[in-house]
Amino acid sequence: MWGGLQPVSGYRLYHHTDLRLFLGLYPFGVLVLIELMGLVKSFGELQVLGGVDLSISEGKTVAIIGESGCGKSVLLKIIIGLLKPDSGSVLLDGQDITKIKYKELVEIRKRFGMVFQGSALFDSLTVDENVGLGLRRHTRISEEEIRKKIGWCLSHVGLEGVEDKYPAQLSGGMKKRVAFARAIAMDPQFLLYDEPNTGLDPITPPEGYTNLLIT
Amino acid sequence: MGGAEANQLKGKAQGTSGPLSHIAMNPISFIGKEVIKFSFHLGRMVKLLWEILKAVPDFRTYSKPLAKQMLVIGNRSLTIIFFISILAGMTVSVQTAYNLKSYAPLYFLGSTMEKTIFLEFGPLLAAFILVGKVGATIAAELGTMRVTEQIDALESLAFNPVSYLILPRVVAGMIMVPVLTIFADAVGITAGWLTSIAKTNVTTRQFFYGFKSVYQTFDLSFGLIKAVFFGLTITFVSCYEGYYARQGAEGVGRAATSQWLSPLSSY
Ligand SMILES: Nc1ncnc2c1ncn2[C@@H]1O[C@H](COP(=O)(O)OP(=O)(O)OP(=O)(O)O)[C@@H](O)[C@H]1O
Ligand SMILES: [Mg+2]
């Protein structure tokens, strides 16, 4: 089922050369940003991923479809380094993020935004604090700017005036949309979106992201 | 796990019921399993402790939650520590007075009060309340965050969960238990003093003469050092249980009522 998802896998050879780093480009003008190679992941006896190859190019939206329990969420967690694959690699800018130090991994995660399947909002924080958590920690922009940004992110998903509510006061779809707002708050280069359909209203991601949508 | 349960079931079926039957059946494998389990937990705890130490420079991440956790601990325990300290002070005073009667001068009341409250009761009460009121909450809180993927979400936002979740709770415990200990000391001694002058013939002057005659800075500082370690162990073990919670809501419950927390609470 992963077979159809390797648009440029024929150029795998280039990953092992420095040429790619000089040019940053593949032949035919496709810039591959994330490349998964032979990912294998098992939980005990259960093999969830059996050698996944996938290339994600700049500005492309890739959707991965599969039956329930086939390992889509696991794949996303491996891409962002929350789970370690048993073998295989996740290449980002030619760097294998499954093998780098924790500090570097944290830096790389700043380029990602992830919407979890179950939203995973922090239930001790308000919507405002949830969306602004990354901004307040990782940037030095003023509180006023941060509030503006939070407002922008929330209005993007059609939510207004919920800043001071706690996640428990929101509906499931609203939670999912707040989670989306949280994921785009830091202007990530990549957006990983687990089950985009459960947000009820279709949400259009802002322009210019490399998206990885998971259904 | 499954094996042990199966063993127990088998034991029941054969009429040799009781939780110890499988130990008798195969003591060596039982001891081996326990040793492996123990070393596994010990190793993971040491690793977590090391990660907490490494997170210390990450002040920007933990400053806010640290303040919050200190307030939480204070809010949860202040009232109950107040009442229990009064009880402790009164009890020590009444019991000591009863035992001293006609054997020793009554100013010994002050001396006993100083030693028992500063060295033992103060830190112990504060720690007790922390286990009961805060320890289980921490384990349940972090356990819930683990199973609802909030800890994963935190990591996806480029946070170090140890800096953001664990370090503030552990440090808040290490700061707040001594603070609460001083509070318990003050309340306990005041209650003991008031009870003494109300219930016995001792005067305030005599009471504090006895108090001062045995007072050493060591008493207070040793009590506080104890308190720091109580704060560290209680919050650390609670965090450990919650942080590594697994398997849904059941795992959260198991974390919150874990075997590690109960022996501590009986100290
Ligand atoms: N932490 C884990 N420990 C053990 N098994 C796991 C773990 N996480 C996932 N699994 C197993 O891996 C498989 C894939 O899980 P995953 O969550 O990726 O499915 P999914 O494709 O996202 O399904 P759905 O569409 O229902 O969300 C499942 O069979 C699940 O039981
Ligand atoms: Mg899933």
Side-chain angles (χ1 to χ4, degrees), chain B residues 115-134:
Chain B
K115 290 287 178 203
T116 42
I117 301 270
F118 275 176
L119 275 175
E120 298 296 342
F121 268 116
L124 213 56
L125 286 180
F128 248 130
I129 302 306
L130 195 76
V131 172
K133 287 235 133 189
V134 182

Side-chain angles (χ1 to χ4, degrees), chain A residues 29-41:
Chain A
V30 187
L31 176 58
V32 172
L33 296 174
I34 303 177
E35 171 109 7
L36 314 182
M37 303 206 309
L39 284 183
V40 176
K41 177 75 186 174

Side-chain angles (χ1 to χ4, degrees), chain A residues 77 80 82 102 106 109-110 116 120-125 133 136-140 182, chain B residues 58 60-61 64 68 144-145 148-150 152-161 164:
Chain A
K77 285 185 184 166
I80 202 169
L82 289 170
Y102 183 74
V106 168
R109 280 176 181 160
K110 290 180 185 167
F116 284 78
L121 296 180
F122 306 116
D123 44 30
S124 60
L125 303 181
L133 194 68
R136 293 192 171 106
R137 168 65 183 85
H138 298 307
T139 67
R140 294 196 181 271
R182 181 176 71 182
Chain B
D58 199 1
R60 220 178 141 202
T61 304
K64 238 172 141 184
K68 192 168 161 186
T144 307
M145 291 190 75
T148 57
E149 295 184 326
Q150 289 177 53
D152 288 340
L154 203 56
E155 290 208 58
S156 81
L157 292 171
F159 275 67
N160 177 354
Y164 188 76

Side-chain angles (χ1 to χ4, degrees), chain A residues 50-212:
Chain A
V52 177
D53 299 312
L54 175 64
S55 301
I56 297 154
S57 331
E58 170 147 60
K60 283 280 181 324
T61 298
V62 177
I64 296 171
I65 304 171
E67 63 196 48
S68 176
C70 72
K72 304 176 297 283
S73 302
V74 168
L75 183 68
L76 282 193
K77 285 185 184 166
I78 289 176
I79 292 176
I80 202 169
L82 289 170
L83 290 174
K84 280 229 178 316
D86 301 334
S87 68
S89 49
V90 178
L91 295 179
L92 179 72
D93 298 343
Q95 219 182 356
D96 185 354
I97 69 156
T98 60
K99 296 200 173 61
I100 57 179
K101 289 205 203 77
Y102 183 74
K103 265 205 178 122
E104 296 166 318
L105 185 60
V106 168
E107 286 309 308
I108 280 178
R109 280 176 181 160
K110 290 180 185 167
R111 297 166 59 186
F112 283 89
M114 176 150 176
V115 184
F116 284 78
Q117 186 165 3
S119 302
L121 296 180
F122 306 116
D123 44 30
S124 60
L125 303 181
T126 62
V127 168
D128 172 277
E129 290 164 333
N130 262 288
V131 178
L133 194 68
L135 290 170
R136 293 192 171 106
R137 168 65 183 85
H138 298 307
T139 67
R140 294 196 181 271
I141 51 181
S142 68
E143 184 58 30
E144 195 186 338
E145 290 285 311
I146 288 177
R147 283 188 181 275
K148 232 191 258 168
K149 179 92 198 193
I150 293 170
W152 181 85
C153 292
L154 286 172
S155 66
H156 186 83
V157 292
L159 288 172
E160 257 135 40
V162 295
E163 276 91 340
D164 296 325
K165 286 201 162 58
Y166 283 91
Q169 297 166 289
L170 303 176
S171 76
M174 285 162 90
K175 278 185 206 163
K176 192 83 181 199
R177 285 185 279 163
V178 172
F180 183 89
R182 181 176 71 182
I184 61 171
M186 292 280 290
D187 294 324
Q189 185 183 4
F190 309 104
L191 191 58
L192 309 181
Y193 198 163
D194 203 344
E195 305 263 359
N197 292 332
T198 43
L200 304 177
D201 322 340
I203 306 167
T204 37
E207 294 291 307
Y209 290 106
T210 294
N211 299 301
L212 185 57

Side-chain angles (χ1 to χ4, degrees), chain B residues 8-263:
Chain B
Q8 269 188 38
L9 284 179
K10 220 165 45 188
K12 283 216 174 84
Q14 289 164 359
T16 56
S17 62
L20 294 179
S21 61
H22 69 284
I23 304 178
M25 305 280 277
N26 195 347
I28 294 179
S29 115
F30 174 78
I31 293 172
K33 269 184 203 148
E34 286 299 301
V35 167
I36 288 170
K37 217 162 77 183
F38 178 78
S39 2
F40 169 75
H41 280 292
L42 192 69
R44 212 164 57 167
M45 280 186 163
V46 170
K47 199 165 152 252
L48 186 60
L49 209 54
W50 174 236
E51 278 179 21
I52 294 176
L53 283 179
K54 276 199 303 195
V56 169
D58 199 1
F59 184 72
R60 220 178 141 202
T61 304
Y62 66 76
S63 54
K64 238 172 141 184
L66 174 62
K68 192 168 161 186
Q69 288 305 320
M70 284 169 64
L71 273 180
V72 167
I73 294 182
N75 272 342
R76 289 240 172 91
S77 21
L78 217 54
T79 335
I80 183 148
I81 287 187
F82 178 75
F83 285 113
I84 293 193
S85 303
I86 289 182
L87 274 179
M90 285 167 72
T91 317
V92 172
S93 153
V94 170
Q95 284 301 320
T96 315
Y98 176 76
N99 288 320
L100 287 180
K101 208 170 264 173
S102 71
Y103 293 113
L106 274 175
Y107 69 78
F108 267 41
L109 267 177
S111 320
T112 320
M113 199 66 70
E114 194 272 344
K115 290 287 178 203
T116 42
I117 301 270
F118 275 176
L119 275 175
E120 298 296 342
F121 268 116
L124 213 56
L125 286 180
F128 248 130
I129 302 306
L130 195 76
V131 172
K133 287 235 133 189
V134 182
T137 319
I138 288 180
E141 227 170 29
L142 294 190
T144 307
M145 291 190 75
R146 169 63 75 191
V147 301
T148 57
E149 295 184 326
Q150 289 177 53
I151 295 183
D152 288 340
L154 203 56
E155 290 208 58
S156 81
L157 292 171
F159 275 67
N160 177 354
V162 174
S163 320
Y164 188 76
L165 297 173
I166 299 186
L167 187 140
R169 282 170 172 80
V170 172
V171 173
M174 291 170 73
I175 297 173
M176 288 310 282
V177 179
V179 169
L180 292 171
T181 299
I182 293 176
F183 178 71
D185 286 349
V187 173
I189 283 168
T190 312
W193 160 59
L194 290 175
T195 316
S196 303
I197 57 173
K199 284 283 172 193
T200 67
N201 294 328
V202 78
T203 63
T204 299
R205 179 187 274 264
Q206 286 169 332
F207 181 88
F208 283 104
Y209 170 76
F211 188 90
K212 273 187 220 144
S213 68
V214 294
Y215 174 78
Q216 290 172 301
T217 354
F218 171 80
D219 297 342
L220 191 57
S221 50
F222 188 66
L224 291 183
I225 290 170
K226 259 184 170 173
V228 171
F229 276 96
F230 284 154
L232 169 72
T233 34
I234 294 165
T235 48
F236 177 74
V237 170
S238 311
C239 284
Y240 175 81
E241 285 299 333
Y243 191 65
Y244 290 109
R246 283 285 180 274
Q247 293 155 22
E250 191 203 345
V252 176
R254 203 175 314 133
T257 57
S258 143
Q259 49 168 341
W260 292 92
L261 291 174
S262 35

